[in-house]
Amino acid sequence: MRQDVSPRQAGILCFIMLLSSKILALPSLLYQDSKNSSIFILFFLLCIELFFIYIFIKLKEKYIDLTIFEILSKYLGKFLTKIIILIFFIYFSISFTHLI
């Protein structure tokens, strides 16, 4: 039995996490300011995040033995890859702190 997570399983987990965070926290915050158009904003943000998950899963399926950092540094260079990883870290830190 394999002890690692397949790209498909990781994608399913990411989808469930994104959908649940959008349903739990975001609508109440958006509805205060934008009223009924918050549903469109919610749908738009979910589509963008699903697009990025799809890209990461396809990259991971193509380069099974490499990490995301190695894949990005292969095509973008180490400096730009570090900036992208830093942006991801800041984004996930802010969203984690917001939920807490």
Side-chain angles (χ1 to χ4, degrees):
M1 184 161 138
R2 292 177 52 187
Q3 297 294 325
D4 55 343
V5 177
S6 71
R8 185 174 188 274
Q9 292 170 334
I12 291 171
L13 288 173
C14 288
F15 175 75
I16 291 171
M17 182 208 54
L18 289 173
L19 187 62
S20 63
S21 69
K22 295 284 179 278
I23 291 173
L24 290 176
L26 196 59
S28 63
L29 297 173
L30 285 175
Y31 195 76
Q32 292 173 356
D33 294 328
S34 61
K35 304 296 178 206
N36 291 332
S37 62
S38 63
I39 295 171
F40 298 113
I41 296 170
L42 182 72
F43 180 72
F44 181 70
L45 289 174
L46 186 64
C47 288
I48 288 174
E49 289 178 349
L50 287 176
F51 174 72
F52 280 114
I53 287 175
Y54 178 77
I55 288 174
F56 284 132
I57 288 175
K58 288 301 176 186
L59 280 174
K60 195 62 183 158
E61 286 176 350
K62 187 174 181 181
Y63 303 103
I64 294 173
D65 296 332
L66 298 177
T67 64
I68 295 294
F69 183 81
E70 292 170 343
I71 295 169
L72 290 176
S73 64
K74 181 178 179 180
Y75 291 107
L76 301 175
K78 287 200 181 260
F79 181 73
L80 192 56
T81 302
K82 288 180 182 180
I83 291 174
I84 292 172
I85 297 295
L86 179 68
I87 290 170
F88 281 141
F89 175 75
I90 292 170
Y91 171 74
F92 286 116
S93 297
I94 290 172
S95 63
F96 178 70
T97 340
H98 180 265
L99 286 176
I100 290 177

